[in-house]
Amino acid sequence: MLMRNVEVEGHGRVDVRLAAGRIAEIADGLPGRADLDGRGGALIPGLHDHHVHLMALAALAASVRVGPADVGDRAGFAKALRSGDPGEWVRAVGYHESVAGGLDRWVLDELVPDRPVRVQHRTGALWVWNSAALRAAGLTGDGRFWREDERLRSFAPPVRLDLEGVGRRAAALGITGFTNADPRPADGLVGMLSALPQRLVVMNRGGPVKMMLDDATLPAPEELAARMAAARPRTVAVHCATRVQLLVTLLALDQAGPVKGDRIEHGSVIPLETVPWLRRLGVTVVTQPHFPVERGREYRTDVDPDDRPHLYRCRSLAAAGVPVAAGTDAPFGTPDPWSVMRAAVEREGRETVGRRAALDLFTGEPEHPGVPRRVRVGAVADLCLLHVPLQEALDTLTGDTVRAAFVGGHRIQPG
């Protein structure tokens, strides 16, 4: 493919030839018939969402959204759960206690006693089923299931998955790659995800080894270090959503020895005194700088005051030389990386980043997210063509500027 009149950083307006899945030439006046006129729009690396849950995202099409911004209060929550045909299972997602308090089977029974209902907390860690759902599945208990997705798969009815829609919408935003971050991926996941046109990294299926930590079952540093050593030479991606989870992970990495590409997922709470430790280990932090914006109201009551200054660091990590990248964590956060970039730029406090740094959060190497890619000869042709020059795109940081996306030199989004 030959693109004419595209803006490439460091080259100005030039022509770009793609061949064998890579960028073959960048120059002015390349010979040959043009396949595409860029009209002066910027050609940038395709965006890579470094932390996403693709099957859960694909299930949104068959789900009812019940987050604070979707239903507001208990009455709205009940109305949402009663939607749909009588007797059908209801799959609700995005719940937070600010809507209607804590949930168990009996609370859900008060709202919807006549149909099977299952509600997922917005963290993705907890499902709550009502009595009708429990009876239909032959289960007992209070209806609360903590990190039991793998077991529950065989009890709930199949959900319609809109993977085609996920891929299409992502391509329209310039996303050319995903890192799927499920800790216990289902059998056959890689085959199912192959329906997506994007490049894929799948944790625990060839990608990094995902390690989940929960405070209630936190391993000793020595135990976690042993798990890391057993995973070598593969890299590890450790879920760190609390201060103590981060400290145990850093101690374990010290004992096991880090390797290039090891990752901290989320880094929800990173005390300032641990930043030099992170730099020494060379570990990459894959964070969600949009969460303090999307969840700011709830964080003001849910998060310990001592932790609030340390939430989802971004600028301070980069300034200290810690590799940092971002993932949307969709569907538990927005699936739009441009919205994440805007949040990283506009969030309150000292962790805001510049607009170019915000873009680079999503242009890292798939296997090394903290290493930004550039449009250069020899690079893999996973690219995003914009309608506008780069500076104009940075001024707005919106997916509306995306014209086309390419994976391995093949267009996945019409331009």
Side-chain angles (χ1 to χ4, degrees), residues 177-312:
F178 290 113
T179 294
N180 190 75
D182 294 349
R184 288 175 287 277
D187 293 338
L189 177 66
V190 174
M192 288 186 284
L193 294 181
S194 65
L196 295 166
Q198 283 81 11
R199 193 175 300 278
L200 295 171
V201 176
V202 181
M203 291 187 183
N204 292 334
R205 293 291 188 271
V209 177
K210 177 74 176 285
M211 297 185 175
M212 286 295 302
L213 299 182
D214 288 309
D215 285 1
T217 58
L218 200 62
E222 296 78 11
E223 180 184 345
L224 184 58
R227 290 167 55 190
M228 291 176 176
R232 300 305 191 203
R234 293 173 62 187
T235 58
V236 297
V238 188
H239 170 102
C240 291
T242 66
R243 181 187 296 246
V244 66
Q245 290 170 19
L246 177 71
L247 294 175
V248 167
T249 298
L250 296 182
L251 287 166
L253 282 168
D254 258 340
Q255 293 181 40
V259 301
K260 184 178 181 182
D262 283 343
R263 303 158 51 130
I264 299 293
E265 302 300 310
H266 306 303
S268 307
V269 182
I270 299 181
L272 187 60
E273 60 268 22
T274 66
V275 174
W277 197 354
L278 286 163
R279 179 182 180 181
R280 176 173 60 79
L281 289 170
V283 66
T284 298
V285 175
V286 180
T287 189
Q288 286 75 46
H290 53 307
F291 279 0
V293 177
E294 290 183 1
R295 305 177 177 183
R297 185 184 69 177
E298 292 81 15
Y299 281 175
R300 283 191 285 273
T301 57
D302 292 355
V303 176
D304 189 296
D306 289 340
D307 286 341
R308 289 176 204 160
H310 310 295
L311 289 174
Y312 296 97

Side-chain angles (χ1 to χ4, degrees), residues 14 106 112 124 136 147 167 193 207 229-230 261 276 278 293 295-296 300 305 372 390 403 409:
V14 291
W106 299 285
V112 188
R147 295 207 188 282
L193 294 181
L278 286 163
V293 177
R295 305 177 177 183
R300 283 191 285 273
L390 179 59
R403 177 178 169 190

Side-chain angles (χ1 to χ4, degrees), residues 339-362:
S339 178
V340 178
M341 295 179 215
R342 292 195 301 275
V345 169
E346 298 169 359
R347 62 186 287 192
E348 296 179 357
R350 299 179 180 179
E351 292 300 324
T352 59
V353 300
R355 292 178 177 271
R356 179 50 192 268
L359 176 63
D360 281 345
L361 293 173
F362 287 95

